[in-house]
Amino acid sequence: MPHPRPTDVTHRLVPGPAGRVHLVEQGSGPLVLLVHGFPESWYSWRHQLPALAAAGYRAVAVDLRGYGRSSKPEAVRAYRLAELVADQVAVVQALGGAPAVVVGHDWGATVAAHCALLRPEEFRAVGLLSVPYTPPGGPRPSEVFARLGGGTEEFYVSYFQEPGRAEREIEPDVRGWLAGFYAALSADTMPAPGAPDPHFVSPGGTLRDRFPAADRLPAWLGEAELDVYAGEFERTGLTGALNRYRAMDLDWKDLADRAGAPVTQPSLFLGGSLDASTTWLADAIEAFPTTLPGLRSSHVLEGCGHWIQQERPEEVNRHLVDWLDSLDSPG
């Protein structure tokens, strides 16, 4: 079984707008900032840190605010995209690495895209894993998500947006809930086609009701790795992480003047063919010539689920390094 924490990394705390940002770094060279999603931490990049370091890059994986050892402000508005972008700018400036490359997964992909959109002087290129870029604008997010499920089921985002509700489900058994959530979105353990969709909640039910049987972990997730994730959330709770969902309508207001704006820096997209984030947002991928005009590399990994850099680390590392190496050559 893999060691639960990678070796040869340095843990640091740097000042940020909310207080502090915890980061883990390895290697030297051009700065590559790695931003995790929900419900993860810097640890989701444990396979990429040594690979990028070996390729000649300074790989830095952060804990987003609300996670791990980073600050955890109470107010929902503190988890707006503008605030999360400001944290990443603070990291880049503290490390003297501007302009940096930023790579994100899941919510981290959305944060990374907005880093590039809002602070192009700090971020020279952007990599998106699992969640494609969708420009600001359109209908209010809470109204869109409320319509999903056809009135008989509730979409998980709406479920997460109600303060305290998901915490009551998750926090009595953080480890068991995380195991089920990770399994529900992993290629080798996700529910079979035709089974109830784990992205939705039945009336009066919980998200956990649709998770796979708890006796089987995904191949990428050993007991030691699960212990790392569970230990972090048992200590911090889930409210900070869930507040990102609760801030979405605030983003909609904040970014109204950026409606339809493309991200023009050199970019990368990697998705999994079995990941709902990739399949449901197929229209966003098709729009990349307009929304990501600097796209240099785009790959959908066959048979891969949502946790792409952990499910298929060698492929992801190869694509990342090839793309990074291309950034200083003609596009």
Side-chain angles (χ1 to χ4, degrees):
M1 178 177 294
H3 193 278
R5 291 192 185 273
T7 58
D8 300 323
V9 298
T10 300
H11 290 255
R12 296 179 60 180
L13 296 173
V14 300
R20 66 185 180 276
V21 179
H22 172 240
L23 60 86
V24 179
E25 62 177 314
Q26 188 169 2
S28 60
L31 178 60
V32 181
L33 191 64
L34 303 170
V35 187
H36 68 83
F38 175 89
E40 300 174 278
S41 74
W42 74 267
Y43 186 68
S44 68
W45 300 104
R46 62 194 177 278
H47 302 296
Q48 284 66 53
L49 288 165
L52 297 186
Y57 296 94
R58 185 182 187 184
V60 173
V62 300
D63 277 336
L64 287 169
R65 63 171 65 185
Y67 289 80
R69 284 185 253 168
S70 292
S71 293
K72 182 184 153 186
E74 293 184 7
V76 167
R77 66 178 296 101
Y79 295 86
R80 290 150 43 233
L81 283 170
E83 297 287 348
L84 299 180
V85 168
D87 287 344
Q88 311 320 309
V89 170
V91 170
V92 171
Q93 293 178 345
L95 300 181
V101 176
V102 60
V103 178
H105 169 255
D106 184 80
W107 263 125
T110 302
V111 174
H114 285 78
C115 284
L117 178 66
L118 300 178
R119 297 298 297 268
E121 73 281 6
E122 303 284 351
F123 299 98
R124 66 188 180 100
V126 58
L128 310 177
L129 275 58
S130 297
V131 175
Y133 175 59
T134 55
R140 186 186 296 269
S142 60
E143 296 174 353
V144 173
F145 297 127
R147 292 195 294 267
L148 299 177
T152 59
E153 299 179 316
E154 184 178 15
F155 193 50
Y156 79 99
V157 174
S158 297
Y159 183 72
F160 285 168
Q161 285 178 328
E162 183 178 329
R165 189 177 176 196
E167 289 93 327
R168 290 191 293 272
E169 174 185 343
I170 301 168
E171 291 181 354
D173 178 21
V174 169
R175 192 178 193 277
W177 192 91
L178 290 174
F181 191 74
Y182 296 145
L185 306 185
S186 297
D188 57 335
T189 50
M190 64 176 53
D197 191 330
H199 295 88
F200 291 87
V201 178
S202 299
T206 66
L207 203 63
R208 187 172 187 162
D209 295 339
R210 297 188 174 188
F211 291 170
D215 58 351
R216 183 183 171 206
L217 293 177
W220 63 267
L221 183 69
E223 297 288 347
E225 288 83 4
L226 180 57
D227 284 344
V228 172
Y229 284 123
E232 293 289 84
F233 288 109
E234 286 169 350
R235 179 171 53 81
T236 64
L238 271 294
T239 297
L242 289 162
N243 277 347
R244 172 79 284 274
Y245 293 90
R246 297 162 187 164
M248 295 176 74
D249 280 356
L250 298 176
D251 298 329
W252 181 75
K253 294 179 180 178
D254 287 346
L255 299 168
D257 64 341
R258 301 294 185 117
V263 167
T264 59
Q265 292 95 320
S267 56
L268 160 80
F269 175 73
L270 299 176
S273 69
L274 301 180
D275 181 10
S277 298
T278 299
T279 57
W280 288 350
L281 294 174
D283 288 349
I285 295 172
E286 291 179 6
F288 280 167
T290 299
T291 61
L292 284 180
L295 185 68
R296 291 194 176 190
S297 181
S298 181
H299 305 274
V300 174
L301 306 189
E302 287 300 319
C304 185
H306 182 66
W307 317 105
I308 185 169
Q309 77 269 33
Q310 299 177 88
E311 291 187 50
R312 304 279 273 275
E314 292 183 0
E315 288 177 74
V316 168
N317 291 348
R318 183 175 69 252
H319 289 306
L320 276 176
V321 170
D322 287 348
W323 172 68
L324 289 167
D325 289 348
S326 79
L327 293 177
D328 294 322
S329 61

